[in-house]
Amino acid sequence: MADFKTHVELGAATGFAVAIVSYNWNLIPNAYMAVIVFFATLIGSFLPDMDSDSGLPVKIIFTFYAYFMAAMTLYWMHVAGANLPLKIFVPVASFCFVKLYLQNFFNKHTNHRGIFHSFPAYILSFLVALFIASTTKLSIREQFVISFAVSCGYLCHLILDELWSMNVVSEGIFGNKKYTMDQIIHRHFGVKKSFGTALDLGFNQKEKIPGILAWASVIVLFIICHKTIFELIALI
């Protein structure tokens, strides 16, 4: 699979492209929203690696998400008209929850390249982002663009992992070693054992329960967000 640095670079490039297209097609109202779309895509490109075992990338990912959740809870507290102590306590508590509990939970109870690297997880990235966006005062169109940006970043991560499972990409195009023509023919055009594990339907895992829960979550979130989704379809 591709390393963290490569995923960051692709996520940033994808975010820039999605932001530019959204702005030029008048899907978002201003450059401020374009910046949000960029970071939404970047966040999406990090999401599949939440199940990584350990290391600096995981710390960076969960620190990033912790700040994001703190910012979102501060926004929700402000919209709800909460008093100052709550505006301080709830964001701090959400930050600690993500950084201290969720990170440890994911390290213990998930396997890298498990259910987070699957097609239902990709759909969930869109639905979860849409659900969160629907709690804000953004327009339906803006909610869609941000949710699409998150899912686009997520999908790019999965596609890159699949491409990296092909020797012609990971070793031939981006590799530093020099191979003879015979080695290229017999080695570079093969695939690794990890090929096909980043975009499966969620049932190729060692356990079937995560796949069942993922698809069940897709159905539940679709029901919760169905009004917003139908409004989005009406705009097309």
Side-chain angles (χ1 to χ4, degrees):
M1 64 190 70
D3 58 21
F4 183 71
K5 178 177 178 291
T6 306
H7 280 303
V8 170
E9 292 173 349
L10 179 65
T14 305
F16 182 77
V18 174
I20 292 297
V21 170
S22 300
Y23 185 74
N24 287 336
W25 287 7
N26 296 318
L27 297 177
I28 50 179
N30 49 50
Y32 170 75
M33 280 300 301
V35 174
I36 293 179
V37 168
F38 169 81
F39 280 105
T41 311
L42 191 61
I43 289 174
S45 71
F46 291 165
L47 282 172
D49 275 346
M50 286 196 302
D51 59 5
S52 295
D53 295 330
S54 60
L56 181 60
V58 178
K59 294 179 180 179
I60 294 174
I61 289 169
F62 275 93
T63 299
F64 194 88
Y65 295 150
Y67 278 114
F68 171 75
M69 287 308 301
M72 287 304 302
T73 50
L74 177 60
Y75 172 81
W76 291 329
M77 290 296 100
H78 177 73
V79 171
N83 54 38
L84 183 59
L86 277 178
K87 287 183 179 179
I88 296 175
F89 173 77
V90 176
V92 171
S94 66
F95 178 91
C96 293
F97 175 76
V98 173
K99 193 71 179 70
L100 301 179
Y101 175 75
L102 276 188
Q103 181 176 341
N104 185 58
F105 178 86
F106 274 85
N107 287 342
K108 286 185 176 181
H109 299 285
T110 60
N111 297 314
H112 190 45
R113 203 137 185 176
I115 193 61
F116 282 92
H117 286 72
S118 67
F119 186 71
Y122 155 65
I123 298 176
L124 277 174
S125 70
F126 174 81
L127 292 174
V128 171
L130 184 61
F131 174 74
I132 294 175
S134 66
T135 65
T136 69
K137 294 182 179 180
L138 296 173
S139 67
I140 295 295
R141 189 184 300 273
E142 291 167 344
Q143 291 176 30
F144 167 75
V145 172
I146 290 177
S147 304
F148 172 78
V150 172
S151 63
C152 190
Y154 201 108
L155 182 61
C156 286
H157 181 115
L158 300 185
I159 291 175
L160 182 61
D161 275 346
E162 290 290 16
L163 290 175
W164 225 255
S165 297
M166 303 170 63
N167 291 325
V168 68
V169 175
S170 61
E171 297 182 10
I173 298 177
F174 294 97
N176 295 321
K177 297 180 180 179
K178 301 299 182 181
Y179 294 94
T180 65
M181 182 60 67
D182 182 68
Q183 288 174 320
I184 291 175
I185 293 174
H186 289 88
R187 179 177 178 81
H188 281 173
F189 290 95
V191 294
K192 301 175 182 177
K193 291 182 179 180
S194 58
F195 184 74
T197 61
L199 277 171
D200 64 62
L201 295 178
F203 297 111
N204 292 333
Q205 316 295 324
K206 294 181 179 179
E207 298 182 5
K208 303 301 180 184
I209 293 179
I212 295 173
L213 291 176
W215 281 110
S217 299
V218 168
I219 295 172
V220 170
L221 273 173
F222 180 83
I223 293 173
I224 293 174
C225 300
H226 75 279
K227 290 184 178 180
T228 304
I229 293 173
F230 290 151
E231 289 181 15
L232 288 173
I233 295 174
L235 289 176
I236 299 177

